[in-house]
Amino acid sequence: MGYKLKRIDLDGRNRVYPNEEKDLEIVLEKEYRSAIHGVVLLPNGRPAEDALVKLFVKNRHNDCELIPVTFTFTDECGQFLFGVEPFKEYVLKVFFYRPERPVQKHDEEELDER
């Protein structure tokens, strides 16, 4: 079981003054959400920046039927993060493609005109 991070602003009556020590009692609330975090690596061990990571939930009655939930792209370190509901069975699919010829500025402008 996790607990929610709680923010305590040290201002107003909790303000800290010079040469003063504050004793605070912080009571955390239970956290029922979950997260899936991971790193996508290329075969050479380097992080896969901008890889597509798609999250699916499994259909209880048919393992081959996946219900799409959301997607994200990995950061420069190949990392991704999803907030998820607990007690569900999830499947991740990852796609990475580096084009042989990167999109040129004039190609982007042509797409914008369409």
Side-chain angles (χ1 to χ4, degrees):
M1 179 66 58
Y3 293 90
K4 280 187 184 178
L5 178 65
K6 191 164 192 163
R7 177 181 165 150
I8 306 293
D9 290 326
L10 297 176
D11 57 10
R13 67 185 188 131
N14 289 325
R15 183 171 304 218
V16 178
Y17 295 97
N19 299 316
E20 181 179 58
E21 178 182 317
K22 278 285 186 192
D23 289 322
L24 300 174
E25 182 177 309
I26 300 170
V27 179
L28 299 176
E29 299 174 33
K30 286 185 178 179
E31 176 62 77
Y32 296 98
R33 297 176 296 175
S34 298
I36 297 172
H37 173 265
V39 178
V40 179
L41 300 174
L42 297 171
N44 63 9
R46 297 185 67 206
E49 182 178 0
D50 292 328
L52 172 67
V53 183
K54 192 156 183 175
L55 178 70
F56 298 87
V57 67
K58 280 186 178 181
N59 180 330
R60 290 183 189 168
H61 308 292
N62 181 353
D63 281 347
C64 292
E65 184 180 339
L66 301 176
I67 302 162
V69 177
T70 189
F71 70 93
T72 191
F73 293 93
T74 57
D75 65 10
E76 64 276 1
C77 299
Q79 298 180 8
F80 64 91
L81 175 70
F82 293 111
V84 296
E85 297 176 41
F87 308 115
K88 288 189 175 184
E89 291 187 36
Y90 293 98
V91 172
L92 292 175
K93 291 194 176 192
V94 178
F95 178 75
F96 179 78
Y97 173 71
R98 182 172 290 142
E100 293 177 25
R101 185 181 72 87
V103 176
Q104 302 297 318
K105 179 93 174 134
H106 61 85
D107 293 340
E108 290 177 356
E109 291 170 356
E110 185 179 308
L111 287 173
D112 290 340
E113 291 174 4
R114 291 183 189 175

